[in-house]
Amino acid sequence: MKLPARMAGFVRERKQQSLYRTRRILETAQGPEVIVDGRPMINFSSNDYLGLANHSAVVSAMKKAADQYGAGSGASHLVIGHSTLHHELEEQLADFVGCESALLFSSGYMANMGTLNGLARRGDLILQDKLNHASLLDAGLLAEADMKRYAHNDMDALERRLEGATAEQVFIVTDAVFSMDGDLADLPQLVTLSESHQAVLMIDDAHGFGVLGKEGRGSLSHFQLAPGAVPVYMATLGKALGVCGAFVAGDKDLVDYLIQCARPYIYTTALPPAAAGATLQALKVLQQETWRRHYLQTLIQRFRDGMADWQGRLLPSQTAIQPLVVGSAEGAIQLSDELSQRGFLVSAIRPPTVPRGTARLRITLTAAHTEQQVDDLVNTLQQLLPGALNADRQLQQGAQ
């Protein structure tokens, strides 16, 4: 039996609407200078914020762990896949973020899915920021609890939702750093609202952990909030730490509960021990090489200063995520292609990942970039943007 014809029709429509997704083939290690599809490029698309994915000490730690523990974990954590390295990593992550316990997951998507589905049940209410990551939104949609969304970073809108809530338990769920806009959630106000309305606050700190706060301890540290102010803390290990996986941290009761109820944790093969060994080393490098975080902040400011004439298009982000709004999906793709022709890899982000009419370039800076590379990108954007935005306006007028 053939697959439904509607599938081919859907793909055709995506291509016609400039929304078709393709994969590039990376032929080198992750870094600022890469070879993609056979071409050397300067990479401004990676989430390897501190440049640890190919750090010599991290790579050596992975090799050493693989020699001792092999290539794979062989089973889920609850069967026989939970190694000494996994356990040590959980303990060190918990200590680093100031929590009693932490639980490893194989990905951030799984962590969000397992945690929210494990905690929320029928009769509960989940309130989510409208611009939350897809993994949080999908987790809320699949949970037995009701889910409602509030306008992005609108604390008044959230408070109205809270005041009208009649659920047995309310959960407030938000990104700490929003992945496509690069701005920060108002965590102090979220903590205040959650406490006054007895709601459970869960944050996804994928893009803040390792980069923000004292010693890179994350968004809570950035806002000088105590770890206990947020009962459910999630962060990923494949961005600032450069490896893979994720963890959820909180008090011991939370972790004990998730071990019993988080299905993506229970029924998934554990991360390879070698990945845990590499992450342990990356956590050490993060704390030892503090210059990486400071240098990254220098590059962020340098980029924003260079793009000062385009503040109307460059969203107000002080993080490594620097979104440059073009408008249409076609316009964003064309600008991304023009940059590619000049040797810069900058991803175009289109609907449904971002709202229609706000397709953008998602420029990401890392501590592995040089000041010259950032300057070269700025100069190239200054040359290309006027023509690109004019072409985008013509595209949108022609579509009307």
Side-chain angles (χ1 to χ4, degrees), residues 123 125 161-170:
L125 174 64
R161 291 283 196 191
L162 288 166
E163 289 172 347
T166 59
E168 180 179 346
Q169 179 62 61
V170 178

Side-chain angles (χ1 to χ4, degrees), residues 65 140 160 165 231 271 306 387:
R160 289 192 295 272
L271 285 169

